[in-house]
Amino acid sequence: MAENRVTFGSKLGVILATVGCAVGLGSVWRFPYMLGTNGGAAFLLVYILFTIFLGLPVMITEFFVGRHSRSNTVGSFKKLAPGTRWSWIGYNGILAAFLILSYYSVVSGWTLEYVWQTLNGSLYGSGAADYTEGFEAFSSDPFRPIFWTAVFIGLTHFVIVSGVDKGIERASKVMMPLLFLILVVMCVRSVTLPDAEAGLVYLFKPDLSKLTSSVVLSALGQAFFTLSLGMGCLITYASYFSKDTNMQATAWQVTLINTFVAVLAGVMIFPAVFSFGIEPSAGAELVFITLPNVFEQLPLSFLWSLIFYILLAMAALTSTISLHEVATAYVLEEFHLSRRKAAWIVSIGVFLLGIVSSLSFGVLKEWTIGGLTFFEAVDYLTAKIMLPLGGMLTCIFVGTRIDKKVLKAELTNQGTVKFYLFSTYVFFMKYVAPAAIGIVFLNELGVLDFLFKGTR
Ligand code: TRP
């Protein structure tokens, strides 16, 4: 089995595919939305700290597990620790992939609607208030968003059944650099709007009094979400790496590119938010109600808008592919089904859940779980609980069950490439990451508060 597993074609292919997996709506849509609902720059600061000090070590650890075992998320733990419950990390991951894909496809569907509205000319010419109203009318519609969700899952499904190397690699190679370029253009337009400065201050000047436990948890969730960590996505990808992929370098590249894209997205969104008097804490709709205003201020707005939403949809697609692949690879290898059958099972299941997520912007708006709509609740459960938990357990697994020599041999490609600061990495993976994630959890639950008040 292991011998005939497909691998990514080239060095660039590895990076592009992994960047494609990481960069998506998480940076462009979720990051501004989270930053806006968590008080601004303080969130950015914590998010960047978590990315470097927790995200990076967790990413390298997942790369290790994936390439060392050459197996899917569940299979890898079964292979490395047969007969133990460690494979539950994998099950947590499969479930998370499935849940994330369901609401992620809904938002991806929104990008298709915006492609469509740009094409038929109905999007532009109204102004901030109307863009909000227009979005709300669309997202609360019982049919349209579900139609686009179905289209999007269909696209993902098509790439998945057409094969790993061809599908994923080809898609990533063309689109990612282009998206990057257009983000830069949008940033320039946004920061030259009247009163853009307020947005930059909001984004970059931290007000530490805003740092609450829920801001910290949100930043942790965001770091894991945008880097695709904690659910075995990167385990599955790394299982397709070749034996001479430099995993430390790849992890750095993916992390830096991804963080850079998120910051660009912030620079694109917040100056415009303040310039047009939009509420930064508008929530999931923030990016969708802000951007049309910026496009309207560009010459040839139609063209920019069209290209942008197509590219955003593509960036989302390279991420949904990765999520779908995790679930499909599992179903296929564990139940010995054909790729086609496995993919159908995943697609249909995801669509059914996606319907509920989509309806939670309309007819199911009032149906809340702990104050969160279904969409928000699934997002909360996955990003803020399942992913950090999965990452924490993966680190504990590798830290306690894997011989350092084996770890080092794998990470240095049997001594052929250098792994810088190996013992620092081990320290962060084994102690810092699990402890920090544990502390954030306890803090959110109010346990720390309780303890400290008790001793005062
Ligand atoms: N990281 C992607 C984004 O930012 C989404 C994503 C893809 C993801 N695969 C994942 C999130 C695995 C968590 C886990 O858009």
Side-chain angles (χ1 to χ4, degrees), residues 21-27 100 104 224-229 231 233 258 319-320 322-323 387:
C21 160
V23 176
L25 298 174
S27 319
I100 292 173
Y104 200 95
F224 271 74
F225 188 95
T226 78
L227 293 174
S228 308
L229 295 175
M231 43 126 319
C233 205
N258 190 60
S319 299
T320 54
S322 74
L323 291 159
L387 300 181

